[in-house]
């Protein structure tokens, strides 16, 4: 069974940085591409970034390009999201999930998420 657990959220001022991590139980971590998603209050969950199996191919939402970096450590079954130059509009609960297909659709192995709050 695949179970992600997200960590690293918190309260930060605009312009600051946070590093999120997602530890995944189960032995199939390296078989999947992994993505980060976020959901702000009153809004739908949206795609943020994804990394494929070899960690050499990444995809980002336009809103985070140049500010966020996704990476993975297959030995630790962990995927990371380094977030720099944070903005108030980045405030949301962040989730990781395995993704599939060219559209990077989430499988639905959602964890509890981690809250990121950016103050202006």
């Amino acid at each position: 069974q695949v179970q992600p657990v997200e960590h690293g959220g918190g309260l930060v001022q605009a312009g600051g940085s946070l590093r999120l991590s997602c530890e995944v139980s189960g032995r199939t971590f390296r078989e999947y591409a992994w993505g980060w998603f976020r959901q702000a209050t009153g809004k739908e969950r949206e795609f943020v970034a994804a990394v494929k199996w070899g960690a050499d191919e990444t995809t980002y939402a336009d809103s985070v390009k140049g500010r966020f970096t996704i990476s993975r450590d297959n030995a630790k079954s962990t995927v990371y999201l380094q977030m720099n130059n944070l903005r108030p509009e980045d405030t949301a609960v962040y989730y990781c999930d395995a993704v599939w297909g060219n559209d990077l659709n989430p499988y639905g192995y959602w964890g509890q998420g981690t809250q990121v709050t950016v103050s202006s």
Side-chain angles (χ1 to χ4, degrees):
Q1 185 173 354
V2 179
Q3 181 61 56
V5 179
E6 300 92 344
H7 300 283
L11 173 63
V12 63
Q13 289 188 332
S17 298
L18 284 174
R19 189 192 193 207
L20 307 184
S21 62
C22 174
E23 300 174 12
V24 182
S25 62
R27 294 182 293 178
T28 57
F29 175 83
R30 64 180 66 220
E31 297 178 6
Y32 292 103
W34 284 89
W36 283 95
F37 297 79
R38 66 186 182 187
Q39 186 167 20
T41 302
K43 295 187 177 181
E44 293 187 354
R45 195 169 302 189
E46 64 176 4
F47 169 81
V48 175
V51 58
K52 290 198 173 179
W53 308 270
D56 58 350
E57 185 172 347
T58 55
T59 305
Y60 297 93
D62 288 343
S63 58
V64 306
K65 279 181 182 176
R67 301 188 298 123
F68 291 12
T69 303
I70 188 171
S71 61
R72 65 188 291 164
D73 185 334
N74 288 334
K76 295 182 178 180
S77 297
T78 300
V79 59
Y80 303 96
L81 186 69
Q82 177 67 44
M83 306 186 295
N84 298 329
N85 192 20
L86 283 160
R87 304 167 180 169
E89 54 264 39
D90 295 318
T91 296
V93 179
Y94 283 71
Y95 302 87
C96 71
D97 197 0
V99 296
W100 63 276
N102 293 330
D103 292 338
L104 302 172
N105 303 294
Y107 273 90
Y109 302 132
W110 303 113
Q112 83 289 348
T114 186
Q115 176 71 49
V116 171
T117 303
V118 184
S119 63
S120 57

